[in-house]
Amino acid sequence: MAASRTATSTTGARKSTASATSATGARKSATGARKSTTGPTGGTKSTTGASQDDTVPGRNEVAIRGRLAAEAEERELPSGDHIAVLRVVVPRDAPAGRRRPAVDGPRRATVDTIDVVCWTAAARRTAMRLRAGDLVELEGALRRRFFGGPGGRQSRYEVEASALRRVSGAGPAGT
C-alpha cells in the first residue's frame, strides 16, 4: 500500500492530512471517506467498491469434454419450444492430497454426469446426430431451470449448449 502526504491550505495556515492508495486504486483519506477512482479494468469504483457502470459483467462460461451417456432425446416443451436433451459423462480426477482407504477388488471410476440442453436449431441438429459413447466437446453456460412437478415447483441445473461437436466415435464398451 503506497502512502502519500497532501497539504491543504485553508486560511494561510498549513494543514497536513494523510491519504493512502490501496491496490485497487481506491483512495481513502484521513477522514475515512472514499473517493471515486478508475479500477484496473476501467470501470469507476464507488464508495462501496461496486461498479457504477456495467463495464465488467458477470461471466458464465462452461467447456466440457466427455462421452455421451445415451443418444440425445428431442422434447417439446409446453410453450411449444423444441429442445434436445443429452447427458455427458466426464471422468473426475482424484483430488490432490486426498487419500482413499485401501479397498480390496477393482477400483470404481469416479465421474461427473452432466445434463445438457440444446435450444438452438444448429445445436439440436448436431445433438440428434450423436450416438451413445461418442466423445463430444461443448461450450455453453450453466443455467438453473424452474418447472412445476408433482411435488410443486422444482429446479434443476443444466448446461445450455451454444456450441457442440463430435470429437470421435464411440469408445471402448463400458465407458
Side-chain angles (χ1 to χ4, degrees):
M1 183 185 280
S4 64
R5 289 278 194 207
T6 59
T8 57
S9 176
T10 53
T11 58
R14 243 181 124 140
K15 181 171 140 183
S16 178
T17 59
S19 67
T21 305
S22 70
T24 61
R27 219 162 216 224
K28 189 172 180 180
S29 69
T31 61
R34 277 190 163 220
K35 299 177 185 175
S36 203
T37 61
T38 302
T41 56
T44 304
K45 300 283 183 183
S46 70
T47 57
T48 61
S51 180
Q52 288 180 347
D53 56 18
D54 291 335
T55 58
V56 185
R59 186 173 177 179
N60 183 356
E61 296 175 343
V62 176
I64 296 174
R65 183 179 186 147
R67 294 231 175 251
L68 200 62
E71 291 185 14
E73 176 185 327
E74 190 165 16
R75 295 184 187 164
E76 183 176 354
L77 301 177
S79 64
D81 291 332
H82 289 270
I83 61 172
V85 179
L86 52 127
R87 190 165 282 162
V88 178
V89 178
V90 181
R92 185 187 301 178
D93 293 334
R98 184 173 166 192
R99 296 183 125 182
R100 289 180 49 146
V103 178
D104 292 335
R107 189 171 169 187
R108 290 180 38 180
T110 306
V111 297
D112 289 315
T113 304
I114 300 165
D115 293 328
V116 178
V117 62
C118 302
W119 286 85
T120 64
R124 278 196 322 266
R125 279 192 304 271
T126 303
M128 297 309 292
R129 287 193 300 258
L130 298 172
R131 299 291 166 238
D134 284 353
L135 183 62
V136 296
E137 284 183 345
L138 64 98
E139 295 175 4
L142 185 64
R143 301 280 188 240
R144 185 174 182 195
R145 184 171 54 93
F146 294 88
F147 55 95
R153 193 161 173 91
Q154 298 175 350
S155 70
R156 150 176 282 161
Y157 282 99
E158 55 196 10
V159 172
E160 183 178 307
S162 58
L164 176 68
R165 76 180 188 100
R166 179 179 172 263
V167 177
S168 67
T175 60

